[in-house]
């Protein structure tokens, strides 16, 4: 309870990994750690779903539903009856999410 | 899928799409500009205005290739965003180093946010490499991209399309001199933190965004007296300044519950003041105390939830779960508070109080 961040959409298929180490370079939260033959999913709950690892994995061993966790944009989408997942707050003048 | 990123965002640079001016991608040119070494007082003023949220997208650098110092064909190339804060952080970090800077058109948005939107991305990077004729300017085939650009930049795609190998540099530009020694980043250089300075820096923008709420406070002053106005101001400050600063110290992981706790604490003196207001009959004391509590906790909680978009560690899945879990409850609380407030107002109007 009181923790909505225990699960994410990050999915890692260790059998595909060729141990290139890219994901450990791009991840801002050290979710992956180096291992002898392949990287290990060390801290899955720390993932913020930025998508950097999946985009840079050369063998598609990682899949993640990436997106910005902007509550305001998602609530606005929900109120307008739009799909929360396809809504992207686009840095216009009234964007309150990121600067 | 991460590769769908560019499609998902209505503002991604799509040369074929009709541009509405704001999203227009400026035409790439082959000219090389010179980036000044020093950050001037005028630059600093611009940074301050950017921090305050003044003209959100107005702090831009012309996209294209820049010369920093006197780079040669063997000098490193650094990619940056056309947001003055990103660009200036890079050129200050590279003090004393001769280098090339390739500025992408991110519509004046910083690297991290632009990468999330896909504007700091594979396509734009390849387009700028080609437009600047980079393969002729330098003899090597490497480009150093800030790590926070990785959610938008696929290294293998850039290599395939442009022949340039992407090297992801450290998260913070100030770590570049150390990184450049052997082109490897330590674990600490790869991790995004969210220190108090960074959290505080966001407060002005949040506060400016909340300005209309101060009108509510003024209206309350006339309608319900200075105490209610004070409660409104305290609520806004708690949600926009106090919350970001105290973020890691408030218990629970969920932002809404953190906000509820903070709102409850900030509400305490007001609840006490209303509950012990001798000028009111007992029922009105209870009702006003309850009203102020419901309102303050619900609003701070909501502002806290909205702060997720500004943090560097909340996943979309988690935020969505928070929304489903708490927003209906918050709406009910605020609704109940509203009913209480109206009941009090009506009683006052008819002279019951
Ligand atoms: S999606 Fe981002 S935060 Fe999550 S594991 Fe991949 S790189 Fe790390
Ligand atoms: S990027 Fe892909 S292949 Fe490379 S180490 Fe990570 S999971 Fe393995």
């Amino acid at each position: 309870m009181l923790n909505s961040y225990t699960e994410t959409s990050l999915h890692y298929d260790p059998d595909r990994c060729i141990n290139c180490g890219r994901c450990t370079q791009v991840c801002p939260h050290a979710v992956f750690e180096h291992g002898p033959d392949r990287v290990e999913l060390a801290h899955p709950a720390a993932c913020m779903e930025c998508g950097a690892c999946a985009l840079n994995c050369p063998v598609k061993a990682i899949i993640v539903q990436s997106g910005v966790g902007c509550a305001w944009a998602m609530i606005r989408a929900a109120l307008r009856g739009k799909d929360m997942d396809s809504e992207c707050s686009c840095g216009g003048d009234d964007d309150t999410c990121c600067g | 899928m991460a590769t769908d990123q560019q499609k998902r965002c209505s503002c991604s640079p799509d040369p074929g799409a009709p541009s509405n001016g704001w999203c227009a991608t400026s035409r790439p040119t082959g000219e090389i500009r010179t980036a000044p070494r020093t950050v001037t007082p005028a630059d600093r003023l611009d940074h301050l205005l950017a921090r305050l949220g003044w003209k959100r997208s107005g702090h831009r650098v012309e996209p294209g290739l820049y010369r920093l110092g006197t780079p040669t064909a063997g000098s490193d190339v650094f990619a940056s965003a056309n947001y003055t804060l990103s660009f200036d952080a890079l050129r200050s970090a590279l003090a004393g180093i001769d280098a090339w800077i390739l500025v992408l058109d991110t519509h004046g948005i910083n690297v991290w946010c632009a990468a999330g939107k896909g504007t700091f991305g594979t396509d734009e990077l390849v387009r700028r490499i080609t437009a600047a004729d980079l393969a002729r300017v330098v003899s090597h085939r490497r480009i150093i991209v800030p790590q926070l650009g990785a959610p938008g930049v696929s290294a293998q795609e850039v290599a395939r399309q442009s022949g340039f190998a992407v090297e992801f540099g450290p998260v913070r530009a100030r770590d570049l001199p150390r990184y450049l020694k052997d082109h490897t980043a330590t674990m600490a250089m790869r991790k995004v933190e969210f220190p108090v300075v960074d959290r505080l820096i966001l407060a002005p923008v949040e506060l400016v965004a909340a300005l209309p709420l101060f009108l509510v406070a003024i209206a309350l002053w006339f309608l319900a007296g200075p105490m209610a106005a004070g409660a409104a101001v305290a609520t806004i400050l708690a949600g926009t300044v106090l919350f970001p600063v105290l973020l890691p110290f408030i218990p629970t992981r969920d932002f809404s519950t953190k906000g509820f706790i903070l709102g409850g604490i900030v509400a305490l003196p007001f609840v006490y003041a209303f509950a012990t207001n001798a000028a009111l009959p007992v029922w009105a004391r209870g009702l006003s105390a309850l009203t102020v509590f419901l309102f303050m906790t619900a609003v701070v909680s909501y502002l806290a939830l909205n702060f997720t978009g500004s943090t560097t560690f909340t996943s979309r899945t988690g935020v969505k779960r928070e929304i489903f879990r708490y927003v209906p409850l918050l709406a009910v609380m605020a609704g109940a508070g509203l009913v209480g407030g109206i009941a009090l107002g009506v009683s006052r109007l008819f002279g019951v109080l």
Side-chain angles (χ1 to χ4, degrees):
Chain A
M1 258 323 258
L2 309 188
N3 186 352
S4 305
Y5 300 91
T6 47
E7 280 166 47
T8 72
S9 61
L10 183 72
H11 180 83
Y12 168 52
D13 180 358
D15 292 338
R16 290 189 153 205
C17 177
I18 54 168
N19 216 13
C20 72
R22 259 300 186 203
C23 51
T24 62
Q25 280 176 15
V26 297
C27 180
H29 292 293
V31 169
F32 292 93
E33 268 174 19
H34 287 288
D37 307 311
R38 54 184 69 93
V39 293
E40 273 154 31
L41 190 53
H43 307 284
C47 172
M48 64 171 295
E49 302 180 328
C50 72
C53 54
L55 189 64
N56 280 283
C57 174
V59 292
K60 299 205 170 9
I62 306 168
I63 298 173
V64 65
Q65 198 78 41
S66 67
V68 185
C70 177
W72 183 73
M74 282 194 266
I75 294 170
R76 207 176 36 156
L79 289 179
R80 284 191 193 153
K82 281 196 203 153
D83 179 14
M84 276 161 90
D85 290 320
S86 62
E87 184 73 355
C88 168
S89 81
C90 178
D93 281 341
D94 56 351
D95 178 16
T96 60
C97 267
C98 50
Chain B
M1 284 281 294
T3 39
D4 288 335
Q5 209 148 21
Q6 310 217 342
K7 269 177 260 152
R8 282 226 312 266
C9 187
S10 55
C11 199
S12 60
D14 176 2
S19 63
N20 60 11
W22 200 84
C23 284
T25 315
S26 65
R27 190 180 300 278
T29 54
E31 71 175 298
I32 302 177
R33 295 184 181 80
T34 303
R37 276 244 182 250
T38 46
V39 176
T40 63
D43 292 334
R44 300 211 184 277
L45 177 67
D46 173 80
H47 298 171
L48 183 70
L49 292 176
R51 295 281 187 219
L52 288 171
W54 173 261
K55 289 195 186 156
R56 293 304 289 272
S57 52
H59 308 273
R60 305 187 188 202
V61 186
E62 201 55 47
L65 188 62
Y66 286 77
R67 212 183 251 116
L68 186 69
T70 47
T72 64
S75 302
D76 282 324
V77 185
F78 297 85
S80 186
N82 79 325
Y83 179 50
T84 50
L85 282 168
S86 309
F87 182 69
D88 293 349
L90 176 61
R91 63 191 175 97
S92 342
L94 294 177
I97 298 168
D98 294 315
W100 303 99
I101 300 179
L102 188 64
V103 176
L104 309 199
D105 186 0
T106 60
H107 315 305
I109 304 285
N110 68 43
V111 174
W112 171 251
C113 288
K117 290 167 207 275
T119 45
F120 188 103
T122 307
D123 293 352
E124 170 66 5
L125 181 56
V126 170
R127 189 156 47 225
R128 291 288 160 195
I129 289 174
T130 315
D133 224 348
L134 199 59
R136 277 166 182 259
V137 177
V138 292
S139 53
H140 60 80
R141 293 291 175 269
R142 305 179 313 269
I143 181 160
I144 300 173
V145 173
Q147 187 193 324
L148 293 187
V153 174
S154 163
Q156 65 269 21
E157 261 311 296
V158 173
R160 199 179 62 79
Q161 293 179 27
S162 71
F164 275 81
V166 169
E167 202 182 291
F168 287 110
V171 165
R172 285 159 293 267
R174 63 162 184 270
D175 287 331
L176 272 171
R178 266 206 299 155
Y179 172 84
L180 289 174
K181 283 191 184 128
D182 53 1
H183 289 250
T184 49
T186 61
M187 206 56 185
M189 289 190 214
R190 291 255 173 254
K191 275 188 98 167
V192 165
E193 307 292 347
F194 201 33
V196 66
V197 191
D198 288 9
R199 299 197 303 271
L200 205 54
I201 264 172
L202 292 166
V205 176
E206 304 274 328
L207 208 53
V208 170
L211 275 184
L213 288 177
F214 283 103
L215 293 178
V216 175
I218 296 170
L220 274 177
W221 183 294
F222 291 108
L223 289 173
M227 188 109 85
V233 171
T235 307
I236 301 165
L237 290 179
T240 56
V241 181
L242 223 58
F243 183 77
V245 173
L246 297 177
L247 181 66
F249 311 109
I250 311 172
T252 74
R253 167 85 208 241
D254 282 348
F255 281 54
S256 321
T257 49
K258 278 176 186 283
F260 180 85
I261 293 168
L262 181 67
I265 293 170
V266 174
L268 271 184
F270 295 96
V271 169
Y272 180 77
F274 278 109
T276 55
N277 185 348
L280 293 176
V282 173
W283 68 267
R285 283 185 216 170
L287 187 58
S288 54
L290 187 65
T291 299
V292 80
F293 179 78
L294 286 172
F295 251 129
M296 289 183 74
T297 48
V299 173
V300 176
S301 194
Y302 183 74
L303 290 172
L305 175 62
N306 273 301
F307 193 66
T308 51
S310 307
T311 68
T312 49
F313 50 81
T314 46
S315 67
R316 195 181 176 89
T317 305
V319 173
K320 202 153 75 178
R321 197 167 291 173
E322 270 212 51
I323 292 176
F324 283 122
R325 251 187 205 171
Y326 307 110
V327 170
L329 186 65
L330 294 182
V332 169
M333 282 164 59
L338 195 64
V339 170
I342 290 174
L344 286 166
V346 169
S347 318
R348 201 169 151 168
L349 207 63
F350 288 101
V352 185
L353 287 180

